[in-house]
Amino acid sequence: MRRLLLALPFALLPLAVAHAADEHDHDHDHEHGSLGAHEHGVGRLNAALDGQTLELELESPAMNLVGFEHAANSDADKAKVAAVRAQLEKPLVLFNLPKAADCVVENQELESPLFGDAPAADDEDAKDEHHHDHSEIHAHYQFTCATPAALKTLDLANIFNTFPATQKIQVQLISPNGQQGVEVTAKAAALKF
Ligand SMILES: [Zn+2]
């Protein structure tokens, strides 16, 4: 089910650059929306609504969510990672999906070296010599929404509230109304489907 909806359409979007490919390349041009950089404070979200199926894929530097990117060794670090993981396991709360849309979680998948996972296959480029101690957390959710018409907006305020080290989120959204690339911040955290 992974990237069922997202893989093809996002490959066509100008802003959708394979992530981590130019990590630590400080010449990259944010004006052109390079999503390749792992920049602390900046998260990425792919969202796709197709019929009753909503997919959300949040990719974030671990720094934004847990406050560090090294493997959790101390008890305090392990507790922090566990707490963040528990928050990510409640996507209906995190993404504040309107109750009227009647969405249920069909699948969810959390992935991070901090969770004890091996780096994802698509992080291949991040494993080269430029990859120091940076770690990401990826969360992929698939919902079935009985009343998708009630999904008027996607409000990311809870993400910013829950993870205040997140300064902005670069969103790629595909909905029946088309596709858009939007950068949201805590002050303007909602976007229209
Ligand atoms: Zn980092």
Side-chain angles (χ1 to χ4, degrees), residues 89-112:
E89 285 171 346
K90 298 189 184 75
L92 291 172
V93 176
L94 207 53
F95 290 96
N96 197 23
L97 296 178
K99 283 195 171 59
D102 203 6
C103 300
V104 294
V105 181
E106 294 287 349
N107 286 294
Q108 61 182 24
E109 185 181 1
L110 302 179
E111 205 173 67
S112 174

mmCIF file of all heavy atoms in Angstrom, residues 89-112:
data_model
loop_
_atom_site.group_PDB
_atom_site.id
_atom_site.type_symbol
_atom_site.label_atom_id
_atom_site.label_comp_id
_atom_site.label_asym_id
_atom_site.label_seq_id
_atom_site.Cartn_x
_atom_site.Cartn_y
_atom_site.Cartn_z
ATOM 1 N N GLU A 89 1.222 8.006 16.360
ATOM 2 C CA GLU A 89 0.295 6.891 16.189
ATOM 3 C C GLU A 89 -1.162 7.319 16.357
ATOM 4 O O GLU A 89 -2.057 6.478 16.317
ATOM 5 C CB GLU A 89 0.641 5.760 17.177
ATOM 6 C CG GLU A 89 1.888 4.991 16.731
ATOM 7 C CD GLU A 89 2.401 4.009 17.773
ATOM 8 O OE1 GLU A 89 1.969 4.087 18.943
ATOM 9 O OE2 GLU A 89 3.251 3.174 17.417
ATOM 10 N N LYS A 90 -1.366 8.610 16.547
ATOM 11 C CA LYS A 90 -2.740 9.138 16.643
ATOM 12 C C LYS A 90 -2.968 10.180 15.558
ATOM 13 O O LYS A 90 -3.204 11.362 15.842
ATOM 14 C CB LYS A 90 -2.971 9.754 18.027
ATOM 15 C CG LYS A 90 -2.842 8.772 19.171
ATOM 16 C CD LYS A 90 -3.303 9.432 20.471
ATOM 17 C CE LYS A 90 -3.109 8.515 21.652
ATOM 18 N NZ LYS A 90 -1.665 8.426 22.066
ATOM 19 N N PRO A 91 -2.953 9.750 14.317
ATOM 20 C CA PRO A 91 -3.010 10.741 13.219
ATOM 21 C C PRO A 91 -4.321 11.501 13.147
ATOM 22 O O PRO A 91 -4.339 12.642 12.673
ATOM 23 C CB PRO A 91 -2.803 9.884 11.964
ATOM 24 C CG PRO A 91 -3.224 8.505 12.357
ATOM 25 C CD PRO A 91 -2.843 8.379 13.815
ATOM 26 N N LEU A 92 -5.410 10.913 13.624
ATOM 27 C CA LEU A 92 -6.683 11.645 13.556
ATOM 28 C C LEU A 92 -6.622 12.893 14.422
ATOM 29 O O LEU A 92 -7.197 13.930 14.102
ATOM 30 C CB LEU A 92 -7.847 10.741 13.997
ATOM 31 C CG LEU A 92 -8.176 9.592 13.031
ATOM 32 C CD1 LEU A 92 -9.201 8.655 13.651
ATOM 33 C CD2 LEU A 92 -8.666 10.114 11.693
ATOM 34 N N VAL A 93 -5.889 12.789 15.538
ATOM 35 C CA VAL A 93 -5.694 13.945 16.415
ATOM 36 C C VAL A 93 -4.671 14.898 15.797
ATOM 37 O O VAL A 93 -4.893 16.102 15.684
ATOM 38 C CB VAL A 93 -5.211 13.483 17.805
ATOM 39 C CG1 VAL A 93 -4.902 14.684 18.690
ATOM 40 C CG2 VAL A 93 -6.251 12.579 18.448
ATOM 41 N N LEU A 94 -3.576 14.319 15.392
ATOM 42 C CA LEU A 94 -2.453 15.113 14.894
ATOM 43 C C LEU A 94 -2.863 15.971 13.698
ATOM 44 O O LEU A 94 -2.495 17.139 13.591
ATOM 45 C CB LEU A 94 -1.320 14.163 14.510
ATOM 46 C CG LEU A 94 0.103 14.668 14.560
ATOM 47 C CD1 LEU A 94 0.425 15.282 15.903
ATOM 48 C CD2 LEU A 94 1.067 13.521 14.259
ATOM 49 N N PHE A 95 -3.631 15.378 12.788
ATOM 50 C CA PHE A 95 -4.026 16.102 11.579
ATOM 51 C C PHE A 95 -5.406 16.747 11.715
ATOM 52 O O PHE A 95 -5.887 17.348 10.769
ATOM 53 C CB PHE A 95 -3.981 15.164 10.370
ATOM 54 C CG PHE A 95 -2.580 14.782 9.987
ATOM 55 C CD1 PHE A 95 -2.021 13.593 10.431
ATOM 56 C CD2 PHE A 95 -1.810 15.627 9.205
ATOM 57 C CE1 PHE A 95 -0.722 13.246 10.091
ATOM 58 C CE2 PHE A 95 -0.518 15.288 8.852
ATOM 59 C CZ PHE A 95 0.036 14.093 9.301
ATOM 60 N N ASN A 96 -6.013 16.583 12.878
ATOM 61 C CA ASN A 96 -7.253 17.301 13.171
ATOM 62 C C ASN A 96 -8.289 17.122 12.058
ATOM 63 O O ASN A 96 -8.936 18.075 11.640
ATOM 64 C CB ASN A 96 -6.935 18.794 13.376
ATOM 65 C CG ASN A 96 -8.068 19.525 14.066
ATOM 66 O OD1 ASN A 96 -8.871 18.909 14.760
ATOM 67 N ND2 ASN A 96 -8.137 20.822 13.853
ATOM 68 N N LEU A 97 -8.432 15.893 11.583
ATOM 69 C CA LEU A 97 -9.377 15.650 10.497
ATOM 70 C C LEU A 97 -10.797 15.881 11.007
ATOM 71 O O LEU A 97 -11.153 15.426 12.095
ATOM 72 C CB LEU A 97 -9.218 14.213 9.978
ATOM 73 C CG LEU A 97 -7.856 13.908 9.350
ATOM 74 C CD1 LEU A 97 -7.775 12.452 8.910
ATOM 75 C CD2 LEU A 97 -7.560 14.838 8.174
ATOM 76 N N PRO A 98 -11.601 16.602 10.245
ATOM 77 C CA PRO A 98 -12.954 16.932 10.717
ATOM 78 C C PRO A 98 -13.775 15.666 10.976
ATOM 79 O O PRO A 98 -13.772 14.746 10.157
ATOM 80 C CB PRO A 98 -13.550 17.759 9.571
ATOM 81 C CG PRO A 98 -12.608 17.664 8.442
ATOM 82 C CD PRO A 98 -11.298 17.185 8.940
ATOM 83 N N LYS A 99 -14.478 15.685 12.087
ATOM 84 C CA LYS A 99 -15.266 14.500 12.448
ATOM 85 C C LYS A 99 -16.303 14.181 11.386
ATOM 86 O O LYS A 99 -16.626 13.024 11.129
ATOM 87 C CB LYS A 99 -15.960 14.736 13.800
ATOM 88 C CG LYS A 99 -15.012 14.595 14.981
ATOM 89 C CD LYS A 99 -15.788 14.477 16.301
ATOM 90 C CE LYS A 99 -14.846 14.118 17.451
ATOM 91 N NZ LYS A 99 -13.776 15.131 17.615
ATOM 92 N N ALA A 100 -16.836 15.238 10.774
ATOM 93 C CA ALA A 100 -17.882 15.046 9.765
ATOM 94 C C ALA A 100 -17.396 14.207 8.581
ATOM 95 O O ALA A 100 -18.192 13.584 7.886
ATOM 96 C CB ALA A 100 -18.377 16.404 9.274
ATOM 97 N N ALA A 101 -16.090 14.195 8.366
ATOM 98 C CA ALA A 101 -15.562 13.405 7.245
ATOM 99 C C ALA A 101 -15.563 11.911 7.564
ATOM 100 O O ALA A 101 -15.491 11.080 6.668
ATOM 101 C CB ALA A 101 -14.150 13.866 6.900
ATOM 102 N N ASP A 102 -15.648 11.601 8.845
ATOM 103 C CA ASP A 102 -15.775 10.203 9.277
ATOM 104 C C ASP A 102 -14.624 9.349 8.738
ATOM 105 O O ASP A 102 -14.849 8.316 8.105
ATOM 106 C CB ASP A 102 -17.136 9.653 8.821
ATOM 107 C CG ASP A 102 -17.569 8.478 9.674
ATOM 108 O OD1 ASP A 102 -16.878 8.174 10.673
ATOM 109 O OD2 ASP A 102 -18.577 7.850 9.323
ATOM 110 N N CYS A 103 -13.405 9.788 9.009
ATOM 111 C CA CYS A 103 -12.224 9.076 8.524
ATOM 112 C C CYS A 103 -11.770 8.030 9.535
ATOM 113 O O CYS A 103 -11.766 8.285 10.743
ATOM 114 C CB CYS A 103 -11.073 10.047 8.281
ATOM 115 S SG CYS A 103 -11.427 11.325 7.052
ATOM 116 N N VAL A 104 -11.391 6.882 9.039
ATOM 117 C CA VAL A 104 -10.768 5.881 9.890
ATOM 118 C C VAL A 104 -9.395 5.549 9.305
ATOM 119 O O VAL A 104 -9.184 5.623 8.097
ATOM 120 C CB VAL A 104 -11.611 4.585 10.001
ATOM 121 C CG1 VAL A 104 -12.927 4.863 10.718
ATOM 122 C CG2 VAL A 104 -11.864 3.985 8.635
ATOM 123 N N VAL A 105 -8.481 5.179 10.186
ATOM 124 C CA VAL A 105 -7.128 4.838 9.752
ATOM 125 C C VAL A 105 -7.137 3.414 9.202
ATOM 126 O O VAL A 105 -7.483 2.471 9.904
ATOM 127 C CB VAL A 105 -6.134 4.940 10.927
ATOM 128 C CG1 VAL A 105 -4.723 4.603 10.446
ATOM 129 C CG2 VAL A 105 -6.173 6.324 11.539
ATOM 130 N N GLU A 106 -6.759 3.268 7.958
ATOM 131 C CA GLU A 106 -6.666 1.932 7.360
ATOM 132 C C GLU A 106 -5.275 1.334 7.564
ATOM 133 O O GLU A 106 -5.131 0.152 7.856
ATOM 134 C CB GLU A 106 -6.954 2.000 5.850
ATOM 135 C CG GLU A 106 -8.371 2.387 5.494
ATOM 136 C CD GLU A 106 -9.368 1.262 5.766
ATOM 137 O OE1 GLU A 106 -8.936 0.127 6.033
ATOM 138 O OE2 GLU A 106 -10.576 1.538 5.711
ATOM 139 N N ASN A 107 -4.296 2.183 7.368
ATOM 140 C CA ASN A 107 -2.919 1.743 7.527
ATOM 141 C C ASN A 107 -2.089 2.872 8.087
ATOM 142 O O ASN A 107 -2.338 4.032 7.760
ATOM 143 C CB ASN A 107 -2.311 1.376 6.154
ATOM 144 C CG ASN A 107 -2.844 0.077 5.620
ATOM 145 O OD1 ASN A 107 -2.598 -0.981 6.181
ATOM 146 N ND2 ASN A 107 -3.586 0.159 4.526
ATOM 147 N N GLN A 108 -1.121 2.540 8.898
ATOM 148 C CA GLN A 108 -0.138 3.548 9.255
ATOM 149 C C GLN A 108 1.212 2.888 9.429
ATOM 150 O O GLN A 108 1.317 1.750 9.854
ATOM 151 C CB GLN A 108 -0.547 4.365 10.475
ATOM 152 C CG GLN A 108 -0.728 3.589 11.759
ATOM 153 C CD GLN A 108 -1.174 4.525 12.888
ATOM 154 O OE1 GLN A 108 -1.743 5.582 12.660
ATOM 155 N NE2 GLN A 108 -0.925 4.137 14.112
ATOM 156 N N GLU A 109 2.209 3.649 9.044
ATOM 157 C CA GLU A 109 3.554 3.104 9.022
ATOM 158 C C GLU A 109 4.513 4.191 9.480
ATOM 159 O O GLU A 109 4.540 5.276 8.904
ATOM 160 C CB GLU A 109 3.863 2.683 7.576
ATOM 161 C CG GLU A 109 5.177 1.992 7.382
ATOM 162 C CD GLU A 109 5.404 1.629 5.913
ATOM 163 O OE1 GLU A 109 4.533 1.955 5.072
ATOM 164 O OE2 GLU A 109 6.442 1.046 5.615
ATOM 165 N N LEU A 110 5.259 3.921 10.517
ATOM 166 C CA LEU A 110 6.244 4.873 11.019
ATOM 167 C C LEU A 110 7.624 4.289 10.751
ATOM 168 O O LEU A 110 7.857 3.096 10.942
ATOM 169 C CB LEU A 110 6.066 5.106 12.516
ATOM 170 C CG LEU A 110 4.695 5.624 12.955
ATOM 171 C CD1 LEU A 110 4.650 5.776 14.473
ATOM 172 C CD2 LEU A 110 4.375 6.939 12.268
ATOM 173 N N GLU A 111 8.509 5.173 10.341
ATOM 174 C CA GLU A 111 9.814 4.693 9.917
ATOM 175 C C GLU A 111 10.879 5.695 10.350
ATOM 176 O O GLU A 111 10.775 6.882 10.045
ATOM 177 C CB GLU A 111 9.779 4.623 8.389
ATOM 178 C CG GLU A 111 10.727 3.649 7.765
ATOM 179 C CD GLU A 111 10.442 3.576 6.269
ATOM 180 O OE1 GLU A 111 10.678 4.564 5.569
ATOM 181 O OE2 GLU A 111 9.953 2.528 5.835
ATOM 182 N N SER A 112 11.860 5.214 11.068
ATOM 183 C CA SER A 112 12.964 6.086 11.448
ATOM 184 C C SER A 112 14.083 5.254 12.031
ATOM 185 O O SER A 112 13.835 4.265 12.734
ATOM 186 C CB SER A 112 12.512 7.107 12.499
ATOM 187 O OG SER A 112 13.624 7.846 12.963
#
